[in-house]
């Protein structure tokens, strides 16, 4: 009786053929067969159907306007509830006048978007987002004073000192600055005390002599100067403008539970868009009217302030803006969730291409 042997078959697909191996009596035999035509046709048809289906399936889109409107309304509501009219009424009215005067709310929305990108909740970031807007409003009130930029209009309305007087305007700014720290420290929920403390440290650093104040001092000293180069101009704007935008993003990332690596990526992203914001501001100052900007246009030229268009010209300033935007986008490439990244990408593009 012939001994039974194990029969094993396998197919190895190579190109348009496959090799079928069938060992018989321990002697392997090899036969090469053409892949059945019908199989190829069916496979191709399936692939084509899948491609067509993918092409016809609508790609998810990010509605930037709806996002900004929704987040902006949430921020405005929180700001409105943060400061009530109480005794003495004048100072609280002055604080609310500038804080609720409108604006794009870019900084608080950046804070919330960064928090959500690393897995945090809007509610966790909201006190910090409000604090950033309070400090930004303080800087605008003080910037507009006669001893600084001496401006009459802000966000399409008379500046704070034009309505309440210089003395109250100074105190309104001071009050907003102090209250910002009280608000973020007492109202933040959903983050550990260590993260809240780290966020407060970042915020303080961004507005002191390593941030906003440093930029403002050098800016004042440089106005009318003849030897202001790109390095000094960049120092001014990284400190005066970019520092608070950077803090907005970093605060959100810290409070949202971001890792050290994520926080640093977002820090670089924010520094790029912060400088980008100022480059675009300089461009708009010489290309738009006061009505379009909601503030006095051409003011930098009148006071002989050094700007990017003045040093580089408009074309190279626009090119520099594009380079900053590209660098900012690159920092977001390593984040896995494209849906979560979308708000920050859209905000970066908004800053780059805004018209006022």
């Amino acid at each position: 009786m012939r001994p039974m042997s194990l029969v094993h078959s396998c197919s190895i697909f190579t190109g348009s053929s496959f090799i079928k191996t069938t060992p018989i009596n321990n002697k392997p035999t090899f036969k090469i067969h053409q892949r059945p035509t019908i199989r190829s046709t069916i496979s191709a048809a399936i692939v084509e159907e899948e491609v067509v289906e993918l092409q016809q399936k609508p790609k998810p889109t990010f509605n930037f306007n709806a996002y900004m409107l929704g987040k902006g309304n949430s921020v405005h509501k929180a700001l409105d509830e943060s400061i009530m009219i109480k005794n003495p009424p004048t100072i609280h009215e002055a604080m609310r006048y500038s804080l609720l005067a409108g604006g794009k709310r870019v900084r608080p929305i950046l804070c919330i978007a960064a928090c959500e990108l690393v897995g945090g909740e809007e509610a966790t970031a909201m006190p910090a987002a409000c604090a950033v807007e309070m400090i930004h409003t303080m800087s605008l009130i003080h910037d507009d004073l006669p001893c600084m930029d001496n401006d009459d209009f802000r966000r399409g309305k008379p500046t704070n000192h034009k309505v309440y007087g210089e003395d109250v305007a100074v105190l309104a700014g001071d009050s907003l600055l102090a209250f910002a720290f009280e608000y973020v420290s007492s109202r933040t929920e959903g983050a550990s005390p260590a993260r809240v403390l780290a966020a407060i440290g970042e915020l303080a650093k961004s507005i002191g002599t390593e941030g906003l104040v440093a930029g403002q001092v050098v800016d004042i000293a440089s106005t009318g100067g003849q030897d202001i180069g790109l390095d000094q101009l960049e120092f001014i704007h990284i400190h005066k403008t970019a520092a608070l935008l950077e803090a907005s993003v970093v605060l959100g990332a810290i409070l949202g539970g971001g890792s050290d690596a994520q926080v640093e990526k977002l820090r670089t992203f924010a520094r790029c868009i912060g400088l980008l914001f100022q480059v675009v501001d300089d461009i708009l100052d010489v290309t738009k009217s006061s009505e379009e900007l909601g503030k006095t246009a051409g003011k930098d030229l009148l006071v002989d302030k050094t700007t990017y268009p003045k040093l580089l010209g408009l074309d190279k300033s626009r090119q520099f803006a594009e380079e900053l935007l590209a660098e900012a986008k690159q920092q977001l490439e390593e984040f896995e969730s494209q849906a979560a990244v979308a708000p920050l990408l859209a905000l970066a593009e908004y800053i780059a291409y805004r018209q006022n």
Side-chain angles (χ1 to χ4, degrees), residues 4-50:
M4 296 181 64
S5 62
L6 294 175
V7 179
H8 173 70
S9 297
C10 65
S11 297
I12 306 171
F13 287 84
T14 57
S16 62
S17 62
F18 66 94
I19 303 172
K20 187 174 183 180
T21 308
T22 308
I24 299 176
N25 295 330
N26 297 322
K27 294 181 180 181
T29 59
F30 300 92
K31 294 182 179 180
I32 299 178
H33 301 275
Q34 290 298 315
R35 182 179 297 165
T37 304
I38 188 169
R39 182 183 179 91
S40 301
T41 305
I42 292 173
S43 299
I46 292 172
V47 170
E48 286 178 6
E49 288 176 5
E50 288 175 349

Side-chain angles (χ1 to χ4, degrees), residues 304-323:
D304 197 23
K305 185 174 286 189
T306 302
T307 65
Y308 281 98
K310 183 177 178 180
L311 286 183
L312 300 177
L314 273 175
D315 289 341
K316 287 189 177 180
S317 295
R318 291 185 174 115
Q319 181 182 339
F320 184 39
E322 289 291 344
E323 291 169 358

Side-chain angles (χ1 to χ4, degrees), residues 25-348:
N25 295 330
N26 297 322
K27 294 181 180 181
T29 59
F30 300 92
K31 294 182 179 180
I32 299 178
H33 301 275
Q34 290 298 315
R35 182 179 297 165
T37 304
I38 188 169
R39 182 183 179 91
S40 301
T41 305
I42 292 173
S43 299
I46 292 172
V47 170
E48 286 178 6
E49 288 176 5
E50 288 175 349
V51 170
V52 170
E53 184 180 348
L54 287 172
Q55 289 174 342
Q56 292 177 345
K57 189 175 182 180
K59 295 180 179 179
T61 56
F62 176 70
N63 190 328
F64 178 68
N65 289 335
Y67 179 85
M68 291 293 286
L69 182 63
K71 295 297 186 187
N73 286 339
S74 295
V75 169
H76 187 84
K77 182 175 182 293
L79 289 171
D80 187 28
E81 294 171 351
S82 68
I83 300 175
M84 299 297 175
I85 302 295
K86 51 187 177 182
N87 198 44
T90 302
I91 189 64
H92 294 96
E93 288 171 3
M95 292 165 70
R96 286 176 59 84
Y97 175 79
S98 293
L99 186 63
L100 304 177
K104 307 171 189 71
R105 308 300 189 201
V106 170
R107 290 159 188 82
I109 295 175
L110 280 168
C111 182
I112 294 168
C115 181
E116 292 179 331
L117 174 57
V118 297
E121 301 291 333
E122 177 185 300
T124 300
M126 189 59 78
C130 289
V132 166
E133 191 69 0
M134 291 172 191
I135 291 173
H136 175 55
T137 302
M138 172 277 297
S139 73
L140 299 181
I141 293 173
H142 286 180
D143 262 0
D144 293 334
L145 290 168
C147 63
M148 293 288 189
D149 289 347
N150 192 24
D151 225 326
D152 295 340
F153 292 96
R154 174 69 66 176
R155 292 170 174 167
K157 300 172 66 175
T159 48
N160 197 289
H161 68 275
K162 286 293 181 181
V163 178
Y164 295 96
E166 291 180 40
D167 48 4
V168 173
V170 170
L171 293 171
D174 293 345
S175 300
L176 284 167
L177 176 60
F179 187 59
F181 288 95
E182 176 188 339
Y183 198 74
V184 70
S185 62
S186 63
R187 298 297 186 92
T188 302
E189 297 180 356
S192 68
R195 285 188 177 270
V196 175
L197 186 61
I200 290 172
E202 285 282 346
L203 187 57
K205 187 176 180 180
S206 73
I207 60 176
T209 55
E210 294 185 49
L212 191 154
V213 169
Q216 183 72 353
V217 168
V218 177
D219 189 23
I220 292 170
S222 301
T223 299
Q226 300 300 314
D227 299 319
I228 309 304
L230 282 173
D231 288 345
Q232 190 163 351
L233 186 62
E234 185 171 303
F235 178 92
I236 292 169
H237 294 319
I238 281 179
H239 291 78
K240 183 180 177 181
T241 304
L244 193 54
L245 278 160
E246 179 182 324
S248 304
V249 173
V250 171
L251 261 64
I254 290 173
L255 295 172
S259 66
D260 289 348
Q262 288 176 324
V263 169
E264 290 312 307
K265 278 283 182 185
L266 289 172
R267 184 189 299 280
T268 304
F269 163 82
R271 192 164 294 181
C272 288
I273 64 169
L275 188 54
L276 171 64
F277 192 97
Q278 187 60 53
V279 174
V280 173
D281 227 35
D282 286 356
I283 293 170
L284 293 175
D285 188 65
V286 295
T287 58
K288 297 292 181 180
S289 67
S290 297
E291 291 73 21
E292 290 172 308
L293 294 178
K295 60 181 181 180
T296 306
K299 191 71 182 293
D300 293 340
L301 290 175
L302 290 175
V303 297
D304 197 23
K305 185 174 286 189
T306 302
T307 65
Y308 281 98
K310 183 177 178 180
L311 286 183
L312 300 177
L314 273 175
D315 289 341
K316 287 189 177 180
S317 295
R318 291 185 174 115
Q319 181 182 339
F320 184 39
E322 289 291 344
E323 291 169 358
L324 288 168
L325 177 61
E327 174 65 20
K329 287 181 175 180
Q330 187 177 345
Q331 302 306 314
L332 301 178
E333 290 178 356
E334 294 181 16
F335 287 90
E336 294 180 1
S337 173
Q338 292 303 305
V341 165
L344 288 179
L345 282 173
L347 277 160

